[in-house]
Amino acid sequence: MLNKYARAFFTRVLTPFASFLLRIGVSPDAVTLIGTAGVMAGALVFFPRGDFFWGTIVITVFVFSDLVDGNMARQAGISSRWGAFLDSTLDRVADGAIFSGFALWYAGTGDNNLMCAVALFCLASGQVVSYTKARGESIGLPVAVNGLIERAERLVISLVAAGLAGLHTFGVPGIQILLPIALWIVAVGSLITLVQRVVTVRRESAEADAAAAGASAHGGEAV
């Protein structure tokens, strides 16, 4: 839900900027690559040092490239399978960098092995949640469920909490607790989403196999 409405809103807002980039000769693929590089830099340079506020600001600026590149491709009429593949692949890279940044903080200066493990679980579960839908669709199933927490929710919950937690360095007391709370929410929500998608794929595959078996039986009787 968040993904649907947020994308619609920001697509309208960013359309003039996408048009400007096209006019000066920037390609959608270049925006995708630059956006991913910016997110990785924000996550892997700032987060491991505990500089969550500025890291979140940098990531937020570059994460909008995910909307700008698609907008540019549609305006230019150059949407392609390659562009969709590149965008989806680099989304996974960016997500991995963000949660890796959290894990590096907790493994180092943050000194919390449990939260390091939670951050790593968020990283892994997010990748697997995306894989289950892609794999289900690749074998011809609709995978007609989104689940509790999708990519947009994972990013918003994590980055908002990280940005607020970063206000601790500006003298706001106790606010750093928001980050571990957010990571636990993302971890549990991702697990629930994974279960939802696996159950859906199992049900849809059983229905598809039964339909295929029925069609085969009817075909045999007709012969």
Side-chain angles (χ1 to χ4, degrees), residues 23 28 42 52 55 74 90 93 97 131 150 158 171 173 180 190 194 197:
R23 286 197 299 272
F52 294 116
R74 286 189 294 274
L90 293 184
V93 173
Y131 173 79
E150 296 183 270
S158 302
S190 296
L194 177 58
R197 289 191 175 179

Side-chain angles (χ1 to χ4, degrees), residues 33-123:
L33 291 167
I34 292 170
T36 302
V39 171
M40 292 179 66
L44 298 178
V45 172
F46 290 92
F47 284 178
R49 300 185 305 183
D51 199 350
F52 294 116
F53 179 80
W54 292 113
T56 299
I57 294 298
V58 171
I59 291 170
T60 300
V61 169
F62 283 99
V63 83
F64 283 110
S65 66
D66 188 43
L67 300 177
V68 173
D69 56 6
N71 192 315
M72 292 172 64
R74 286 189 294 274
Q75 287 191 48
I78 55 174
S79 297
S80 65
R81 291 184 176 87
W82 161 250
F85 170 81
L86 180 66
D87 186 58
S88 180
T89 299
L90 293 184
D91 281 349
R92 306 287 85 76
V93 173
D95 292 357
I98 290 170
F99 289 104
S100 293
F102 293 141
L104 287 170
W105 160 252
Y106 284 117
T109 308
D111 193 23
N112 190 323
N113 289 336
L114 176 60
M115 288 312 305
C116 177
V118 172
L120 290 174
F121 180 83
C122 290
L123 189 163

Side-chain angles (χ1 to χ4, degrees), residues 149-167:
I149 290 186
E150 296 183 270
R151 181 175 186 257
E153 287 81 6
R154 288 196 303 271
L155 289 180
V156 169
I157 293 170
S158 302
L159 292 177
V160 168
L164 291 174
L167 294 176

